[in-house]
Amino acid sequence: MSLVTVGSVAFDAIETPFGKTDKIIGGAGTYIAISSSYFVDKQNIIAVIGDDFPKEMIDKLESKGVNLEGLQIKKGEKSFFWSGKYANDMNSRETLVTELNVLGDFDPIVPDSYQECDYLMLGNLSPEVQLKVIQRLNNRPKLVALDTMNFWMETAMDDLKKALKKVDIIIINDEEARQLSGEFSLVNAAKAIQKMGPKHLIIKKGEHGALLFHESNNVFFAPALPLAEVFDPTGAGDTFAGGFMGYLASTEDISFENMKRAVIIGSAMASFCVEKFGIERIENLTVDEIKDRIAEFVDLTDFDMHHAI
Ligand code: AMP
């Protein structure tokens, strides 16, 4: 039931209508690792950072049970840096800066202790690196999930298409699904993307929830929790992916019914993430907080149709 995650571990600078941060800890790999750590005992990360990355944060990940054997620290180099600005409605964001730094020539190492992993989460980074991780595992995991973004579609589409042929599930947002497929309707986009490789697909729609397309005939919709204040959506997608894959890995069940539960768990974890800047809200959650939040999701969609039909 172990999970291997590859993804950026980074610095972010974020601007929202509620405020602005200097460099804070971010990165897709960081959000995934923290979120999944609430579900799996064994979470193994593959990533690269520079020696500018704070030691306390590395210790924090370790204290959450994250195996850091696959984390490379490059002396004298800078960590990945990303900066983004959200529009007033918080639904769209503009990337202001992407400095690849150590990610530019990242050659992922898959330590021997990661080789038996059953679940693989290819977080958002170059498709070339995502492919290398798949190739460097001796056995194919039970479930391989991939996240990506417009940046990689624009700069590395050929490699992305190769990676898609090798994964079981892709987790992307609605805008990315439209860009990848060239289809506006999300149902048609899902069909087109399934033809590119992944049997399953999750399309995240921000405050409007998430759609799960499981094989060719099963569809499930999960709402997002209506929150009075969305403070910072950065990392919500990665936090979703961490909860989703962490739950699947811990239950070892990839049926449609269990994937529905995993989507709700991913949505619950993402709903915490947006409440504060960066990883602030998700780094110290309690099990009770998570259980209560999941119960709120169940209540949100619970209704009695008994007398209506
Ligand atoms: P999300 O809001 O879920 O799209 O994820 C935001 C996180 O992705 C931030 O913490 C960034 O550090 C990271 N990120 C942004 N652009 C990239 C990129 N091109 N490659 C890898 N990670 C990225």
Side-chain angles (χ1 to χ4, degrees), residues 5-10 26-33 123-125 147 238-239:
T5 296
V6 58
S8 49
V9 172
T30 313
Y31 285 102
I32 296 167
N124 178 23
L125 42 58
D147 183 8
D238 310 308
T239 304

Side-chain angles (χ1 to χ4, degrees), residues 110 114-115 117 120 132-139 141:
V110 180
Y114 291 20
Q115 284 295 347
C117 94
L120 174 63
K132 277 188 184 158
V133 173
I134 299 175
Q135 283 155 2
R136 290 176 185 176
L137 280 168
N138 300 336
N139 302 313

Side-chain angles (χ1 to χ4, degrees), residues 8 10 12 26-28 31 80 82 93 124 149 151-152 233-238:
S8 49
D12 290 346
Y31 285 102
F80 175 78
W82 174 82
R93 90 176 166 207
N124 178 23
M149 72 185 293
F151 181 82
W152 302 115
T234 308
D238 310 308

Side-chain angles (χ1 to χ4, degrees), residues 293-307:
R293 189 56 66 91
I294 293 168
E296 281 187 62
F297 271 82
V298 175
D299 287 346
L300 189 65
T301 48
D302 182 39
F303 55 86
D304 180 5
M305 284 295 281
H306 191 67
H307 302 292

